[in-house]
């Protein structure tokens, strides 16, 4: 007779196999039989635990989002979610990148939470003097988060550009993160010509947004 502990172990093994396969190939390209084979269990056991591919995908979503949220479903109150993503294993980061590209409900909600938390963090920085004010704080927070998450979605291309074998290895992560922080700290342009040109285009289009 199968014990409850065996069931839990099998469930986690199936979920972890799905994380790897879904992250590498995409949910639509992976069959439940392939997940079962990777996990070393029967197809019937996968159905027993998750009922369908959508059920398994949701379980993966819930697991990854809980890791990023620090083990709870509570809303993020700082930028700890971003740190958690950097510290997570490669399979989790690949899955999360795929989830963001696929637009799963869990990933969409998580992105919005992180943008809100990052906005609060940057506004705190403005008050404390370690961040510059912005004409559009919401857009800045969204762009900052998008930059941080971009390697999750464009890892293959970033690896190629940097001559790295895997963008998710720590040395490569530190390299591209350092380059990004340098841009945010020191900037790229030595004068305001690019910004002025952009503002001129916006003015010509009659935009009322900052």
């Amino acid at each position: 007779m199968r014990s409850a502990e065996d069931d839990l172990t099998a469930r986690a093994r199936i979920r972890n196999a799905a994380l790897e396969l879904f992250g590498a190939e995409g949910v639509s390209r992976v069959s439940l039989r392939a997940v079962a084979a990777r996990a070393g269990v029967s197809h019937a056991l996968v159905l027993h635990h998750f009922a369908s591919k959508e059920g398994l995908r949701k379980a993966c979503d819930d697991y990854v989002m809980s890791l990023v949220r620090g083990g709870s479903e509570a809303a993020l109150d700082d930028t700890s979610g971003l740190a958690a993503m950097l510290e997570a294993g490669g399979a989790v980061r690949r899955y999360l990148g795929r989830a963001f590209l696929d637009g799963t409900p869990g990933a969409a909600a998580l992105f919005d939470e992180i943008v809100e938390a990052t906005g609060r963090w940057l506004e705190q920085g403005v008050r404390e003097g370690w961040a510059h004010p912005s004409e559009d704080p919401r857009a800045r927070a969204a762009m900052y988060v998008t930059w941080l998450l971009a390697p999750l979605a464009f890892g293959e291309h970033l690896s190629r550009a940097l001559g790295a074998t895997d963008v998710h290895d720590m040395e490569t992560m530190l390299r591209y993160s350092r380059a990004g922080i340098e841009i945010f700290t020191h900037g790229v342009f030595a004068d305001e010509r690019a910004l002025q040109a952009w503002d001129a285009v916006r003015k010509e289009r009659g935009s009322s947004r900052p």
Side-chain angles (χ1 to χ4, degrees), residues 7-202:
D7 270 356
L8 290 174
T9 301
R11 182 180 177 88
R13 198 160 66 243
I14 294 166
R15 182 202 63 215
N16 291 343
L19 277 175
E20 294 177 5
L21 291 174
F22 289 168
E25 302 179 32
V27 176
S28 64
R29 297 182 179 181
V30 176
S31 68
L32 290 183
R33 292 189 184 279
V35 174
R38 174 65 67 91
V41 301
S42 68
H43 179 242
L45 189 60
V46 176
L47 293 175
H48 167 73
H49 281 296
F50 300 100
S52 65
K53 185 193 288 191
E54 178 59 22
L56 180 54
R57 183 207 59 76
K58 185 177 185 306
C60 289
D61 249 20
D62 291 345
Y63 174 70
V64 170
M65 303 315 159
S66 70
L67 286 180
V68 174
R69 291 183 173 106
S72 74
E73 292 299 313
L76 299 170
D77 57 8
D78 54 30
T79 57
S80 58
L82 295 172
M85 274 182 279
L86 291 176
E87 294 169 1
V92 171
R93 290 197 298 273
R94 289 186 183 91
Y95 178 86
L96 191 54
R98 182 75 63 171
F100 280 128
L101 286 176
D102 290 346
T104 70
L110 180 64
F111 184 89
D112 292 345
E113 287 180 35
I114 295 176
V115 169
E116 292 289 344
T118 299
R120 293 193 296 270
W121 175 64
L122 289 172
E123 285 303 299
Q124 178 183 347
V126 172
R127 293 192 298 271
E128 295 177 355
W130 51 263
H132 292 298
S134 171
E135 291 185 7
D136 192 342
R138 173 73 178 183
R140 177 168 71 169
M143 285 301 301
Y144 184 78
V145 171
T146 301
W147 164 73
L148 285 173
L149 298 181
L152 298 179
F154 296 97
E156 179 182 346
H157 302 295
L158 186 56
S159 295
R160 184 179 64 254
L162 297 181
T165 56
D166 185 357
V167 75
H168 297 290
D169 73 69
M170 186 56 68
E171 183 178 349
T172 305
M173 287 174 58
L174 291 175
R175 181 184 175 193
Y176 70 68
S177 296
R178 172 62 170 75
I181 294 299
E182 177 185 310
I183 290 173
F184 282 111
T185 302
H186 299 302
V188 173
F189 303 119
D191 57 38
E192 294 194 355
R193 278 178 291 182
L195 183 62
Q196 290 169 352
W198 200 267
D199 284 343
V201 172
R202 185 180 59 189

